[in-house]
């Protein structure tokens, strides 16, 4: 992306979360937070913005999930990211 | 004859009848005789006329033949006169007149027996004329060639164009062409001579200038001494004199210094400028001596011409050498120091080498500048180019601001009555607050993360978007 000096960029993203946490058949994900990662031209993390500090800590790991079809992950001790046990592939352990 | 009165006598009647018959017979006879006579007379007359006619024709024929004979005789005489005259004219090479005489003969005797001969004579006369003209031209050509070798092409051209002998008008065009050729050849020879002389001059100039620019004064003198062409040597006499003065520069300087007893002189001694008073003495090793007084202490300093600054040398020799020699010596000195700009300012005015020296020095100075520029460029290429102002600029904290706002709307939706659906509207904003630096080729990853409702620490990326 290119933003000229004193310029701004704005974009809307819509998401949908389905879940049930009230009865015996609890399932799904509900909104947790957001994360914005700005990479410089060398693809290095330049700036991270999130409403959850835990997400900020795993910004580089979560970034690798960005290209995965199944983007679910599990946090261990708040810093390690790995696939949930029921996931078919495990390939992200930064 | 009227008949007589009838006689009744029969005998008489018979006699009368007989008489009548006899008379009639006589008359008839007479008439017959007359008729015959007339016929004969007529025949005689016709014969006489025929004879006369024949005689007339014969006379006329004879007269005509005589006339023809006379005419032939006259023609013969005319032809003889004509041939005699044409022969005489041909001997005098007056072929045109001979042709005119023959043509006049033809006009007089257009169908005579000498017509063919006359025409042949005319052709012969014309042929003789052409032959004579060719002989004359060959003669002129030969004489002109001989003259060209002996007296030059111009004289040969004059011989060709100035010929005034027989057939001058007839040979005029050919002679003018020969003259033009000689003049053209003369012109080309003169042009070649001039070009050769100019080339030799330019070559000599170039050699001298190159020697001067190599500070090789003996070399320049050698070039001048080798000039064999007197005219060319005369053109270079002035510069030769100047160069000889420059060649004796040191000698003249030493001579001047040896005679300048007591003269104050600035020298460089021990890398320091000092002012000495010349003693006028030249030592055995060729050095000069001068006294330097510092307070009450006087010291003798031996020095060489190399210790004398150039300005001092020029000052000393100012009235010993010509202005051109001083300028040329300064030029050579500047050349030794490779100070081309200074050398260009010392070019002696009005000499034969001034223009070429100026051009060469300008070229050398230009080449030197270009070489210096190229070296500088090469040096610059070796060292990294100074960073642009923008390259030095960097984003500092607060220049780039990421901001987001989330709007969630939750409602019950799904197969079960208490299934819930959250609709999340996530607005991301990036602000580049830098005053000058643009944000180029950055990538923004925006993700909405959901947490599993049952498994602790299990999350999933609900939505993601990458903006490159």
């Amino acid at each position: 992306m290119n933003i000229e000096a004193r310029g701004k960029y704005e974009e809307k993203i819509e998401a949908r979360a389905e879940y049930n946490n009230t009865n015996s058949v609890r399932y799904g994900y509900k909104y947790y937070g957001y994360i914005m990662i700005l990479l410089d031209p060398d693809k290095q993390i330049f700036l991270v913005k999130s409403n959850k500090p835990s997400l900020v800590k795993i910004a580089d790991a979560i970034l690798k999930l960005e290209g995965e079809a199944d983007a679910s992950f599990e946090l261990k001790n708040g810093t390690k990211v790995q696939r949930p046990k029921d996931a078919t592939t495990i390939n992200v352990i930064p | 004859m009227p008949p007589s009165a009838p006689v009744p006598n029969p005998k008489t009647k018979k006699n009368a009848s007989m008489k009548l018959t006899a008379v009639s017979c006589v008359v008839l006879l007479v008439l017959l005789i007359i008729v015959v006579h007339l016929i004969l007379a007529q025949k005689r007359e016709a014969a006489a006329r025929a004879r006369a006619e024949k005689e007339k024709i014969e006379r006329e024929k004879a007269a005509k033949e005589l006339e023809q004979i006379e005419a032939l005789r006259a023609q013969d005489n005319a032809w003889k006169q004509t041939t005699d005259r044409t022969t005489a004219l041909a001997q005098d090479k007056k072929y045109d007149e001979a042709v005119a005489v023959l043509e006049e003969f033809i006009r007089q005797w257009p169908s005579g027996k000498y017509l063919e001969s006359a025409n042949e004579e005319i052709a012969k006369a014309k042929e003789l004329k052409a032959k004579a003209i060719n002989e004359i031209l060959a003669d002129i050509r030969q004489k002109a060639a001989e003259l060209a070798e002996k007296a030059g092409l111009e004289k040969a051209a004059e011989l060709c164009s100035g010929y005034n002998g027989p057939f001058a008008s007839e040979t005029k065009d050919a002679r003018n062409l020969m003259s033009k050729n000689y003049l053209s050849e003369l012109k080309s020879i003169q042009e070649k001579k001039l070009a050769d002389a100019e080339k030799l001059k330019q070559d000599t100039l170039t050699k001298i200038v190159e020697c001067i620019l190599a500070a090789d004064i003996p070399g320049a003198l050698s070039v001048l001494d080798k000039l064999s062409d007197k005219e060319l040597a005369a053109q270079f006499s002035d510069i030769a004199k100047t160069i000889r003065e420059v060649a004796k520069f040191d000698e003249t300087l030493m001579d001047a210094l040896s005679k300048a007893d007591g003269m104050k002189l600035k020298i460089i001694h021990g890398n320091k400028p000092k002012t000495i008073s010349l003693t006028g003495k030249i030592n055995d090793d060729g050095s000069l001596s001068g006294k330097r007084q510092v307070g009450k202490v006087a010291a003798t300093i031996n020095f060489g011409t190399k210790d004398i600054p150039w300005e001092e040398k020029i000052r000393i020799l100012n009235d010993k050498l010509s202005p051109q020699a001083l300028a040329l010596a300064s030029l050579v000195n500047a050349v030794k120091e490779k100070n081309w700009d200074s050398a260009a300012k010392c070019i002696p005015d009005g000499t034969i080498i001034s223009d070429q020296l100026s051009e060469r020095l300008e070229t050398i100075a230009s080449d030197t500048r270009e070489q210096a520029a190229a070296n500088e460029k090469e040096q610059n290429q070796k060292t990294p180019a100074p960073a642009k102002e923008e390259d030095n600029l960097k984003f500092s904290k607060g220049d780039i601001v990421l901001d987001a706002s989330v709007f969630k709307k939750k409602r019950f939706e799904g197969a079960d009555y208490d299934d819930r659906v959250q609709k999340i509207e996530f607005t991301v904003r990036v602000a580049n607050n830098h005053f000058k630096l643009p944000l180029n080729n950055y990538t923004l990853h925006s993700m909405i993360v959901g947490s599993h409702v049952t498994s602790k620490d299990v999350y999933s990326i609900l939505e993601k978007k990458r903006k490159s």
Side-chain angles (χ1 to χ4, degrees), chain B residues 33-74:
Chain B
I33 291 169
I34 290 169
V35 168
V36 169
H37 182 74
L38 284 172
I39 290 169
L40 289 174
Q42 201 171 12
K43 281 187 177 178
R44 278 198 299 274
E45 191 178 348
R49 276 204 304 273
R51 216 170 24 251
E53 185 70 22
K54 189 178 178 182
E55 286 174 357
K56 184 183 176 184
I57 290 168
E58 284 177 355
R59 275 199 307 275
E60 285 177 355
K61 188 179 177 183
K64 198 173 180 180
E65 285 177 354
L66 186 61
E67 190 179 339
Q68 285 177 347
I69 289 167
E70 287 295 328
L72 285 172
R73 193 174 294 143

Side-chain angles (χ1 to χ4, degrees), chain B residues 240-459:
Chain B
K241 186 181 173 187
T242 303
I243 291 174
R244 285 194 177 89
E245 284 186 72
V246 175
K248 293 181 179 176
F249 186 87
D250 285 342
E251 189 181 333
T252 311
L253 180 67
M254 289 295 284
D255 185 52
L257 291 173
S258 65
K259 293 175 183 173
D261 189 9
M263 189 181 82
K264 298 289 183 186
L265 181 68
K266 291 177 182 174
I267 63 168
I268 305 295
H269 191 259
N271 291 327
K272 290 180 182 176
K274 294 175 182 173
T275 302
I276 59 165
S277 178
L278 283 172
T279 60
K281 179 188 173 188
I282 298 176
N283 300 318
D284 294 338
D285 59 354
S287 64
L288 293 156
S289 290
K291 284 184 180 176
R292 185 160 186 263
Q293 189 80 27
V294 181
K296 293 182 180 177
V297 179
T300 301
I301 296 175
N302 293 332
F303 63 97
T305 54
K306 62 181 175 53
D307 299 320
I308 305 173
W310 185 256
E311 293 76 16
E312 281 291 278
K313 291 181 182 177
I314 294 296
R315 182 178 67 80
I316 293 162
L317 295 178
N318 193 32
D319 55 349
K320 304 286 189 301
L321 296 178
S322 66
Q324 281 83 6
L326 285 172
L328 188 59
S330 298
L331 188 148
V332 172
N333 184 57
V335 165
K336 286 177 182 172
E337 295 171 353
K338 296 193 181 301
N339 188 348
W340 305 112
D341 291 333
S342 177
K345 292 175 186 169
C346 300
I347 295 170
D349 292 331
T351 66
I352 196 168
I353 61 169
S354 297
D355 291 343
Q356 197 158 346
L357 255 181
S358 176
E359 286 177 15
R360 284 287 293 126
L361 278 171
E362 193 175 333
T363 306
I364 292 171
S366 172
D367 291 348
T368 306
R369 282 194 290 271
E370 284 179 11
Q371 185 63 40
N375 291 341
E376 188 180 354
K377 190 177 176 183
E378 191 178 350
Q379 189 66 27
N380 290 340
Q381 284 174 349
K382 286 177 181 175
T383 57
K388 292 181 182 176
E389 188 182 1
E390 289 184 5
D391 294 342
N392 290 329
L393 295 174
K394 288 183 179 177
F395 289 117
S396 58
K397 191 176 180 182
D399 284 340
I400 306 298
V401 176
L402 299 179
D403 188 22
S405 59
V406 180
F407 176 72
K408 293 177 289 185
K409 195 169 18 178
K410 185 171 68 177
R411 65 181 180 183
F412 293 100
E413 186 179 317
D416 207 350
Y417 70 96
D418 54 359
D419 286 350
R420 294 179 181 180
V421 171
Q422 280 182 317
K423 284 191 175 177
I424 306 136
E425 286 183 4
F426 178 40
T427 304
V428 299
R429 298 182 195 88
V430 183
N432 177 10
N433 295 329
H434 199 281
F435 70 102
K436 198 167 186 179
L437 192 60
L439 188 82
N440 288 333
N441 301 322
Y442 280 61
T443 308
L444 177 66
H445 294 266
S446 307
M447 289 169 266
I448 297 171
V449 181
S451 61
H452 202 271
V453 293
T454 57
S455 303
K456 188 184 177 185
D457 295 332
V458 174
Y459 305 90

